[in-house]
Structures are given as C-alpha cells and as structure tokens.
Amino acid sequence: MKTQKIQFGTVLWFDETKNQGAIRSGERIEFSLDSQRVVVAGFKEPEFGLEAPKLSSIPQEEQHVVLTFQVGYKLSIEPGRRILRRTAVALAWNYALAYQAAKREIAARPVYEVIKFTLYRGEPVSEKPRRVIAVGTAVELQAKYPRGARNDPFVSEKHSLDITVRCRFQMKGKEGQWCDDPRPLPKGAIAEKVLPVNGHGVILADDKELLALAAQAGGRRNGTTTSKPADLVAA
C-alpha cells in the first residue's frame, strides 16, 4: 500500500443513497463521506486533520477537491485467468476551498528572525556582531526548537567565562522591530523579562527606566516630565 500526498481532483460522480462516489485525480479514485476530513494550516502547507467537518455539503459533479489516497491491488479470478487490478481509495478529502483558506492562514502568519549577538566582557566582538540564526513563523520555530527544551539555542542570554551570547526576536519586514519570544511557554513556566538591546546586542534602558531617569532629570531642574528625553533613547 502506498499513500499519496495531498493533490487536487474533480468529483466525477457521487451517489448520496449509497454513500459512494469517484474522483478524477490522474486516475479514478473511490471516495465516501466517511473519509472527509477537516483541512488545517500546517507548519508550511495545509494538511488533513483527524476529525470530520461538523457541517458539509453533498459532493457535486465537477466540484474541485483535495485528497490523499491509498493505492492497492485486488486479485480477481476469471475463467482461464487471474487478474491483479489496481485500486485507489481516498483516505481523506475535502473541498479545494478549504485548502485555499488554510493556505491564506499560513501566508498571513508573521515571520520572525532570530538574531544572535556575541559579546566579550560586555562589548561586541566585532563591528557587526549580529547574526541571523533562524527565520520562520512561531509555529515553525516551535516545531523545530521547542521553547524550554534542553539546550534551546534561542534562550535570551547564555554565559561562558567572559563570553556572553544574546538572542533576540524581531519581526521580519521593512520595519522589523524587537519583540518577545513568540514561541509558547512550556506549561507552568513563567516568562522571563528580556531586556532590550541595540544593534550591537548591548542592553539598553527600557521604557520604565527611561521615564524614571527623565523624572530625576526634571526634578533636578525643579520640574518634572512624563515623556522620554530624546538624548536618553538609545538606538
């Protein structure tokens, strides 16, 4: 038996009273309502889930569908000869519209870059210490590098003697900005505070600290301010 990957097909016919039908997808493939499955947005491509849709319409002739099917062989014995016939039966199928909806969901996911910085005694090791070590959606990154796993390569900070390695996430795009780790936390874990960094991986004052510094500076001038002073905002 060989299971095929998801591919497109067209309904040839379907008999509702017998719950039997056929799909054309390079060859004739038998199918029934019992094998209909939901289409879900996988890591990179749509895939079939394990459950049947809660609601669905009856297949109509010439409707476009997606399916996976299994190929087998059936021995039939006739007078004077034995024939081994190829058979194809749908393991899972759904309408092409459901597949396209899952494709749009995948395309709409934000893509992240994981940036790695290496510092020696708190100073960048070179003029360009940042290095992109991974690119993907949160789903892809979690699947390959689950958060909280042993030796997670994306932990926010690691130390080895005088060497410090920092990792930060940023949204991929023209206006890529630093963001928290998008991967879901392990059950029961508490998110750690990840301090902001500049383009060299050097830790900066956060918004709360900047406001506190601004208030102190304003107090020394017998006045207070609630806005960030331009000279305290590090790039």
Side-chain angles (χ1 to χ4, degrees), residues 129-149:
R130 59 182 288 158
R131 184 163 61 93
V132 178
I133 59 174
V135 178
T137 65
V139 175
E140 291 174 313
L141 295 173
Q142 174 68 7
K144 193 171 183 179
Y145 307 102
R147 191 173 184 184

Side-chain angles (χ1 to χ4, degrees), residues 108-180:
R109 290 172 180 165
V111 176
Y112 300 89
E113 291 181 329
V114 187
I115 313 298
K116 178 180 178 181
F117 301 96
T118 304
L119 302 95
Y120 177 74
R121 294 184 177 179
E123 297 296 330
V125 296
S126 66
E127 291 184 3
K128 296 182 179 180
R130 59 182 288 158
R131 184 163 61 93
V132 178
I133 59 174
V135 178
T137 65
V139 175
E140 291 174 313
L141 295 173
Q142 174 68 7
K144 193 171 183 179
Y145 307 102
R147 191 173 184 184
R150 187 176 181 181
N151 297 324
D152 180 0
F154 302 156
V155 293
S156 59
E157 191 155 330
K158 291 188 292 186
H159 299 278
S160 178
L161 299 177
D162 292 329
I163 301 296
T164 299
V165 175
R166 293 191 176 113
C167 283
R168 293 293 186 271
F169 288 78
Q170 73 174 20
M171 296 280 288
K172 188 179 180 183
K174 294 180 180 179
E175 299 180 4
Q177 70 272 20
W178 297 116
C179 53
D180 294 332

Side-chain angles (χ1 to χ4, degrees), residues 27 30 37 57 71 78 82 95 102 110 128 134 151 193 213:
E27 62 183 296
E30 299 174 5
R37 294 293 181 267
S57 58
V71 172
E78 300 178 3
R82 297 158 66 92
Y95 300 107
K128 296 182 179 180
N151 297 324
K193 181 180 180 181
L213 289 169

Side-chain angles (χ1 to χ4, degrees), residues 2 11 18 20 23 37 42 58 67 81 93 100-101 105 124 129 138 147 189 209 214:
K2 182 180 179 182
V11 175
K18 296 181 179 180
Q20 294 178 347
I23 295 170
R37 294 293 181 267
I58 300 300
L67 72 155
R81 60 177 180 173
W93 70 273
Q100 297 299 342
E105 181 181 339
R147 191 173 184 184
E209 291 169 330

Side-chain angles (χ1 to χ4, degrees), residues 42-53:
F43 299 144
K44 292 187 177 181
E45 294 292 335
E47 56 191 44
F48 285 113
L50 300 177
E51 300 178 353

